[in-house]
Amino acid sequence: MLTEQILSLLRALRLTGMADALERQLTQPTTHAELGFEERLGLLLDAEATARENRRIERGLRTAKLRYAASVHDINYRHPRGLTKSRMASLIQGDWLHNHQGLLITGPTGTGKSWLACALGDNACRLGFSVRYFRASRLFKALEIARGDGSYARQLAAIARADLLIVDDFALEPLSARNRNDLLEIMEDRYAERSTLVTSQLQVKLWHHTIGEATIADAILDRLVHNAHRLELKGETMRPPVKTEP
C-alpha cells in the first residue's frame, strides 16, 4: 500500500494522531531510520493516544465554559492571602472529586476566588471529570428561562450529570423563593454523588441569611457545607489599580 493510501486510510478511520505522526516520521527519515517496526509503531500509537486525550480535554473545556483560562500551574502563592502550596497540592490531586466532596472558596473581592475556581475546573477537566461553570445569577436566570421554554427538567439533569459544578459569586444578593427551590433541587441531586465548588464574598456563616426561608436554607446548607473543604482567602485585592487620566 502506498504511503498516501495509508495516510488516507488512517484519517478515514479517524486515527488523525497516527496520521500526523507518520507524516512527521516521513519528513525526518534519518531520525527514525534506526528504529525497528515495533518502536515506530509504538511512537505512532503514543501520538494517537495523546491526540485523543487533547481532544477530550478541549471538548471538556468547551462544555465547562470557564470564566477564565486559568491553570493550577500559574497560582500565585506569594500574595499574602492564606493560600498554601500544601493545601492546594491536595486539591489539585483530585481526591475530593473522586470522593464527591465539595469546596467552598470565600474571601474579599479581588483575592482571586473566581480565577482559582476556574483553575481547579481546568484541572478537573484534565483529570477526566466533566465540569460546568455558572455565575450564580446566570445559573438562576438560565433555569428561569428553561421553565418558560419547557427545558427545565433537561437543564437540571444536565447540571446533575456534571462531575463538578462551579457556582461563582454566590450570595451577592438575597435569593428569591424560586432561586431557593432551584438550588435545593440542584443540591439534592448532587449530594454525595457529585462535587460542587462555590465561591462567595460572604463567609459561609452568613449564607443562611442570604438564602432566606430558614427551613429551606437549612436543607441547602446541610447538603452544601457538609463534607466540604474550605478555602478562606484574606488580604488586599490582587487586581492592579485602575489608571485614571490626568
Side-chain angles (χ1 to χ4, degrees):
M1 184 178 292
L2 298 176
T3 301
E4 288 301 322
Q5 292 176 313
I6 294 174
L7 290 170
S8 296
L9 183 56
L10 287 173
R11 298 192 188 283
L13 293 171
R14 298 185 179 179
L15 298 173
T16 55
M18 290 186 70
D20 293 340
L22 179 57
E23 285 187 321
R24 288 193 295 271
Q25 287 190 12
L26 293 172
T27 59
Q28 302 171 340
T30 56
T31 303
H32 303 89
E34 297 181 359
L35 298 180
F37 171 78
E38 291 83 359
E39 291 174 303
R40 294 186 68 170
L41 179 60
L43 290 174
L44 296 179
L45 291 172
D46 284 344
E48 179 62 32
T50 299
R52 292 191 179 197
E53 177 66 6
N54 289 338
R55 289 196 295 270
R56 182 195 64 76
I57 293 172
E58 289 172 2
R59 287 194 302 270
L61 290 173
R62 283 197 301 270
T63 301
K65 298 180 180 179
L66 299 172
R67 182 176 177 182
Y68 299 111
S71 169
V72 294
H73 301 294
D74 297 325
I75 295 174
N76 183 349
Y77 294 102
R78 297 184 303 276
H79 190 86
R81 51 177 171 161
L83 196 62
T84 63
K85 289 185 178 181
S86 59
R87 184 70 188 281
M88 288 306 303
S90 175
L91 294 172
I92 291 169
Q93 186 175 345
D95 288 345
W96 66 287
L97 295 166
H98 288 287
N99 296 328
H100 312 309
Q101 297 171 335
L103 175 59
L104 313 178
I105 305 177
T106 58
T109 182
T111 49
K113 301 181 298 297
S114 298
W115 191 95
L116 193 59
C118 290
L120 289 168
D122 175 275
N123 185 65
C125 285
R126 296 178 190 281
L127 291 175
F129 296 96
S130 58
V131 179
R132 294 289 301 275
Y133 169 94
F134 293 94
R135 292 187 65 190
S137 59
R138 294 183 181 179
L139 171 61
F140 295 131
K141 183 65 175 178
L143 291 173
E144 181 181 338
I145 293 172
R147 276 194 182 86
D149 64 19
S151 64
Y152 182 73
R154 188 165 66 251
Q155 283 273 25
L156 283 181
I159 292 170
R161 285 195 300 271
D163 296 319
L164 173 61
L165 171 66
I166 299 175
V167 181
D168 197 11
D169 289 333
F170 177 65
L172 287 182
E173 56 186 20
L175 271 61
S176 68
R178 184 163 286 180
N179 295 158
R180 287 193 291 270
N181 290 331
D182 287 341
L183 187 57
L184 182 58
E185 288 286 343
I186 290 170
M187 297 315 304
E188 180 65 28
D189 286 340
R190 302 188 62 77
Y191 180 65
E193 297 290 336
R194 301 285 192 275
S195 294
T196 304
L197 190 164
V198 178
T199 78
S200 178
Q201 293 182 27
L202 293 182
Q203 296 178 345
V204 175
K205 64 182 180 182
L206 301 176
W207 291 3
H208 192 280
H209 175 72
T210 303
I211 293 172
E213 187 64 40
T215 302
I216 296 179
D218 286 342
I220 291 171
L221 291 176
D222 180 64
R223 290 159 176 77
L224 183 58
V225 177
H226 178 69
N227 207 27
H229 300 266
R230 297 193 192 187
L231 289 178
E232 299 177 358
L233 305 181
K234 57 185 180 181
E236 298 179 356
T237 180
M238 299 176 66
R239 294 172 183 162
V242 177
K243 295 182 178 180
T244 58
E245 295 184 7

PDB file of all heavy atoms in Angstrom, residues 117-132:
ATOM      1  N   ALA A 117     -11.156  29.145  41.187  1.00  0.00           N
ATOM      2  CA  ALA A 117     -12.200  28.171  40.862  1.00  0.00           C
ATOM      3  C   ALA A 117     -12.047  27.675  39.428  1.00  0.00           C
ATOM      4  O   ALA A 117     -12.185  26.474  39.152  1.00  0.00           O
ATOM      5  CB  ALA A 117     -13.581  28.787  41.062  1.00  0.00           C
ATOM      6  N   CYS A 118     -11.740  28.586  38.507  1.00  0.00           N
ATOM      7  CA  CYS A 118     -11.556  28.196  37.107  1.00  0.00           C
ATOM      8  C   CYS A 118     -10.296  27.348  36.931  1.00  0.00           C
ATOM      9  O   CYS A 118     -10.273  26.422  36.116  1.00  0.00           O
ATOM     10  CB  CYS A 118     -11.499  29.431  36.214  1.00  0.00           C
ATOM     11  SG  CYS A 118     -13.088  30.280  36.050  1.00  0.00           S
ATOM     12  N   ALA A 119      -9.246  27.664  37.669  1.00  0.00           N
ATOM     13  CA  ALA A 119      -8.025  26.854  37.602  1.00  0.00           C
ATOM     14  C   ALA A 119      -8.306  25.432  38.070  1.00  0.00           C
ATOM     15  O   ALA A 119      -7.843  24.459  37.461  1.00  0.00           O
ATOM     16  CB  ALA A 119      -6.931  27.488  38.453  1.00  0.00           C
ATOM     17  N   LEU A 120      -9.074  25.291  39.130  1.00  0.00           N
ATOM     18  CA  LEU A 120      -9.427  23.954  39.613  1.00  0.00           C
ATOM     19  C   LEU A 120     -10.402  23.268  38.663  1.00  0.00           C
ATOM     20  O   LEU A 120     -10.381  22.038  38.524  1.00  0.00           O
ATOM     21  CB  LEU A 120     -10.025  24.049  41.022  1.00  0.00           C
ATOM     22  CG  LEU A 120      -9.011  24.404  42.120  1.00  0.00           C
ATOM     23  CD1 LEU A 120      -9.725  24.766  43.419  1.00  0.00           C
ATOM     24  CD2 LEU A 120      -8.044  23.238  42.351  1.00  0.00           C
ATOM     25  N   GLY A 121     -11.250  24.049  37.994  1.00  0.00           N
ATOM     26  CA  GLY A 121     -12.129  23.474  36.979  1.00  0.00           C
ATOM     27  C   GLY A 121     -11.341  22.960  35.791  1.00  0.00           C
ATOM     28  O   GLY A 121     -11.607  21.865  35.271  1.00  0.00           O
ATOM     29  N   ASP A 122     -10.359  23.732  35.356  1.00  0.00           N
ATOM     30  CA  ASP A 122      -9.462  23.309  34.279  1.00  0.00           C
ATOM     31  C   ASP A 122      -8.731  22.029  34.678  1.00  0.00           C
ATOM     32  O   ASP A 122      -8.622  21.072  33.889  1.00  0.00           O
ATOM     33  CB  ASP A 122      -8.462  24.430  33.978  1.00  0.00           C
ATOM     34  CG  ASP A 122      -7.408  24.038  32.961  1.00  0.00           C
ATOM     35  OD1 ASP A 122      -6.382  23.444  33.357  1.00  0.00           O
ATOM     36  OD2 ASP A 122      -7.601  24.332  31.768  1.00  0.00           O
ATOM     37  N   ASN A 123      -8.247  21.998  35.898  1.00  0.00           N
ATOM     38  CA  ASN A 123      -7.534  20.817  36.391  1.00  0.00           C
ATOM     39  C   ASN A 123      -8.445  19.594  36.423  1.00  0.00           C
ATOM     40  O   ASN A 123      -8.029  18.480  36.066  1.00  0.00           O
ATOM     41  CB  ASN A 123      -7.002  21.109  37.796  1.00  0.00           C
ATOM     42  CG  ASN A 123      -6.132  19.997  38.351  1.00  0.00           C
ATOM     43  OD1 ASN A 123      -5.059  19.712  37.842  1.00  0.00           O
ATOM     44  ND2 ASN A 123      -6.600  19.347  39.398  1.00  0.00           N
ATOM     45  N   ALA A 124      -9.702  19.807  36.831  1.00  0.00           N
ATOM     46  CA  ALA A 124     -10.659  18.700  36.866  1.00  0.00           C
ATOM     47  C   ALA A 124     -10.897  18.129  35.466  1.00  0.00           C
ATOM     48  O   ALA A 124     -10.981  16.909  35.278  1.00  0.00           O
ATOM     49  CB  ALA A 124     -11.977  19.161  37.482  1.00  0.00           C
ATOM     50  N   CYS A 125     -10.997  19.011  34.463  1.00  0.00           N
ATOM     51  CA  CYS A 125     -11.161  18.553  33.077  1.00  0.00           C
ATOM     52  C   CYS A 125      -9.983  17.683  32.661  1.00  0.00           C
ATOM     53  O   CYS A 125     -10.166  16.640  32.019  1.00  0.00           O
ATOM     54  CB  CYS A 125     -11.277  19.748  32.137  1.00  0.00           C
ATOM     55  SG  CYS A 125     -12.864  20.609  32.183  1.00  0.00           S
ATOM     56  N   ARG A 126      -8.795  18.094  33.025  1.00  0.00           N
ATOM     57  CA  ARG A 126      -7.598  17.347  32.640  1.00  0.00           C
ATOM     58  C   ARG A 126      -7.495  16.019  33.385  1.00  0.00           C
ATOM     59  O   ARG A 126      -6.858  15.076  32.893  1.00  0.00           O
ATOM     60  CB  ARG A 126      -6.356  18.210  32.873  1.00  0.00           C
ATOM     61  CG  ARG A 126      -6.347  19.446  31.996  1.00  0.00           C
ATOM     62  CD  ARG A 126      -5.166  20.370  32.215  1.00  0.00           C
ATOM     63  NE  ARG A 126      -5.366  21.626  31.501  1.00  0.00           N
ATOM     64  CZ  ARG A 126      -5.162  21.781  30.203  1.00  0.00           C
ATOM     65  NH1 ARG A 126      -4.727  20.762  29.473  1.00  0.00           N
ATOM     66  NH2 ARG A 126      -5.388  22.944  29.611  1.00  0.00           N
ATOM     67  N   LEU A 127      -8.134  15.938  34.557  1.00  0.00           N
ATOM     68  CA  LEU A 127      -8.161  14.686  35.308  1.00  0.00           C
ATOM     69  C   LEU A 127      -9.248  13.735  34.802  1.00  0.00           C
ATOM     70  O   LEU A 127      -9.352  12.608  35.284  1.00  0.00           O
ATOM     71  CB  LEU A 127      -8.381  14.964  36.795  1.00  0.00           C
ATOM     72  CG  LEU A 127      -7.218  15.650  37.538  1.00  0.00           C
ATOM     73  CD1 LEU A 127      -7.638  15.974  38.968  1.00  0.00           C
ATOM     74  CD2 LEU A 127      -5.969  14.779  37.528  1.00  0.00           C
ATOM     75  N   GLY A 128     -10.052  14.215  33.864  1.00  0.00           N
ATOM     76  CA  GLY A 128     -11.076  13.348  33.279  1.00  0.00           C
ATOM     77  C   GLY A 128     -12.481  13.571  33.805  1.00  0.00           C
ATOM     78  O   GLY A 128     -13.394  12.793  33.494  1.00  0.00           O
ATOM     79  N   PHE A 129     -12.696  14.631  34.588  1.00  0.00           N
ATOM     80  CA  PHE A 129     -14.022  14.929  35.124  1.00  0.00           C
ATOM     81  C   PHE A 129     -14.756  15.919  34.230  1.00  0.00           C
ATOM     82  O   PHE A 129     -14.136  16.813  33.642  1.00  0.00           O
ATOM     83  CB  PHE A 129     -13.911  15.519  36.536  1.00  0.00           C
ATOM     84  CG  PHE A 129     -13.328  14.584  37.551  1.00  0.00           C
ATOM     85  CD1 PHE A 129     -11.971  14.633  37.864  1.00  0.00           C
ATOM     86  CD2 PHE A 129     -14.117  13.647  38.188  1.00  0.00           C
ATOM     87  CE1 PHE A 129     -11.415  13.774  38.803  1.00  0.00           C
ATOM     88  CE2 PHE A 129     -13.572  12.775  39.126  1.00  0.00           C
ATOM     89  CZ  PHE A 129     -12.220  12.840  39.429  1.00  0.00           C
ATOM     90  N   SER A 130     -16.065  15.788  34.150  1.00  0.00           N
ATOM     91  CA  SER A 130     -16.865  16.762  33.410  1.00  0.00           C
ATOM     92  C   SER A 130     -17.180  17.938  34.333  1.00  0.00           C
ATOM     93  O   SER A 130     -17.428  17.763  35.524  1.00  0.00           O
ATOM     94  CB  SER A 130     -18.164  16.122  32.903  1.00  0.00           C
ATOM     95  OG  SER A 130     -18.922  15.599  33.991  1.00  0.00           O
ATOM     96  N   VAL A 131     -17.163  19.140  33.767  1.00  0.00           N
ATOM     97  CA  VAL A 131     -17.282  20.365  34.559  1.00  0.00           C
ATOM     98  C   VAL A 131     -18.296  21.305  33.924  1.00  0.00           C
ATOM     99  O   VAL A 131     -18.370  21.422  32.697  1.00  0.00           O
ATOM    100  CB  VAL A 131     -15.907  21.078  34.663  1.00  0.00           C
ATOM    101  CG1 VAL A 131     -16.026  22.372  35.478  1.00  0.00           C
ATOM    102  CG2 VAL A 131     -14.853  20.156  35.273  1.00  0.00           C
ATOM    103  N   ARG A 132     -19.075  21.985  34.758  1.00  0.00           N
ATOM    104  CA  ARG A 132     -19.955  23.070  34.307  1.00  0.00           C
ATOM    105  C   ARG A 132     -19.730  24.277  35.204  1.00  0.00           C
ATOM    106  O   ARG A 132     -19.701  24.140  36.428  1.00  0.00           O
ATOM    107  CB  ARG A 132     -21.430  22.653  34.368  1.00  0.00           C
ATOM    108  CG  ARG A 132     -21.832  21.541  33.417  1.00  0.00           C
ATOM    109  CD  ARG A 132     -21.860  21.979  31.978  1.00  0.00           C
ATOM    110  NE  ARG A 132     -22.779  23.069  31.727  1.00  0.00           N
ATOM    111  CZ  ARG A 132     -24.081  22.899  31.486  1.00  0.00           C
ATOM    112  NH1 ARG A 132     -24.611  21.690  31.486  1.00  0.00           N
ATOM    113  NH2 ARG A 132     -24.859  23.945  31.245  1.00  0.00           N
TER     114      ARG A 132
END
